[in-house]
């Protein structure tokens, strides 16, 4: 009897969570990007509190995408770190942190986040997906030292061609006397695209 009551309580709780999630999805569909980020964050919290960690991470990822689209870098980064606390192997969260750092132009922070990104990809054996993302980051960043660092990381991952392409673009820009390798808006668009691409799309841009 006690087991039946327990199962029934769990079933009612699960049904209640599903109702709340559907309501949040409906509200998010009609909301602006920043508001969608907050709503997806709330949905992720509901899932996490119910022990549905993987599903929660999916909602947190959707919150990251919404914040990025709105240009809210702080909340996007905070969501990534929230994801990593519950799922340390979430490689895409590391990628997004690297992209945000690249956009903000802090060279040391970019190198640190890229190192974490590469290390996470090695732990999860997802180097194949990391290589095209690193290529895109290397194309988007304007700092020459960061470009060289990305090229070195690609070389360590066995991507000789990608490394050579980035170094060649750096040399070409230096020869042309270009101080700004890409306009800021174009750079950000490329970095957002890099963070948001699905695995099947990545190699189109490699």
């Amino acid at each position: 009897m006690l087991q039946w009551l327990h199962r029934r309580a769990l079933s009612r709780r699960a049904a209640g969570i599903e109702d709340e999630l559907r309501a949040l999805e409906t509200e998010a569909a009609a909301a602006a990007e920043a508001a969608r980020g907050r709503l997806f964050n709330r949905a992720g919290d509901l899932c996490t509190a119910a022990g549905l960690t993987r599903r929660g991470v999916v909602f947190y990822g959707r919150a990251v995408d919404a914040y990025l689209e709105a240009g809210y870098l702080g909340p996007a980064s905070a969501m990534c770190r929230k994801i990593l606390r519950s799922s340390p192997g979430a490689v895409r969260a590391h990628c997004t942190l690297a992209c945000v750092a690249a956009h903000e132009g802090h060279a040391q922070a970019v190198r640190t986040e890229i190192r974490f990104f590469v290390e996470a990809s090695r732990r999860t054996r997802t180097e194949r997906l990391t290589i095209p993302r690193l290529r895109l980051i290397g194309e988007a960043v304007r700092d020459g030292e960061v470009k060289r660092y990305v090229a070195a990381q690609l070389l360590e991952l066995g991507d000789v061609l990608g490394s050579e392409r980035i170094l060649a673009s750096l040399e070409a820009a230096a020869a042309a006397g270009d101080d700004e390798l890409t306009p800021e808006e174009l750079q950000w668009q490329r970095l957002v695209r890099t963070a948001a691409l699905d695995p099947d799309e990545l190699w189109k841009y490699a």
Side-chain angles (χ1 to χ4, degrees):
M1 182 66 177
L2 288 176
Q3 289 182 343
W4 179 82
L5 289 173
H6 180 65
R7 285 196 301 270
R8 187 173 182 184
L10 289 176
S11 178
R12 285 180 175 176
R13 183 183 176 191
I17 290 173
E18 290 300 328
D19 288 342
E20 290 185 74
L21 291 176
R22 278 193 293 271
L24 289 170
E25 288 267 20
T26 300
E27 190 175 351
E33 287 90 350
R36 280 206 302 271
R38 291 191 293 273
L39 291 165
F40 288 141
N41 179 29
R42 194 184 308 166
D45 288 344
L46 279 173
C47 293
T48 301
L52 306 172
T53 303
R54 289 186 179 180
R55 193 170 178 191
V57 167
V58 171
F59 277 112
Y60 291 149
R62 293 172 70 182
V64 171
D65 289 342
Y67 283 133
L68 287 176
E69 288 297 327
Y72 284 33
L73 307 190
S77 296
M79 289 304 311
C80 287
R81 299 193 189 285
K82 190 173 188 176
I83 289 170
L84 291 171
R85 283 196 293 273
S86 60
S87 298
V91 178
R92 187 184 161 199
H94 283 295
C95 176
T96 301
L97 289 171
C99 289
V100 171
H103 176 66
E104 292 177 338
H106 303 304
Q108 183 56 52
V110 181
R111 287 194 292 269
T112 298
E113 296 298 349
I114 287 174
R115 185 178 73 249
F116 290 155
F117 175 32
V118 172
E119 289 173 353
S121 72
R122 283 177 172 150
R123 287 195 303 271
T124 56
R125 298 181 179 179
T126 55
E127 295 95 332
R128 180 180 175 277
L129 301 178
T130 296
I131 286 171
R133 285 190 166 113
L134 277 181
R135 286 187 182 186
L136 286 165
I137 292 173
E139 290 174 5
V141 295
R142 292 183 288 177
D143 186 283
E145 288 304 312
V146 174
K147 277 184 174 287
R148 292 187 184 90
Y149 184 77
V150 173
Q153 293 299 308
L154 285 169
L155 194 59
E156 286 190 19
L157 291 172
D159 183 24
V160 177
L161 179 60
S163 178
E164 289 177 346
R165 282 180 179 173
I166 290 174
L167 293 176
S169 71
L170 185 59
E171 291 172 3
D178 292 339
D179 293 327
E180 293 190 359
L181 299 175
T182 55
E184 184 175 345
E185 184 60 29
L186 177 58
Q187 178 211 37
W188 178 236
Q189 289 174 1
R190 287 177 175 174
L191 289 169
V192 169
R193 183 185 68 186
T194 302
L197 282 176
D198 291 327
D200 291 341
E201 296 179 285
L202 280 171
W203 288 97
K204 298 177 186 177
Y205 301 95

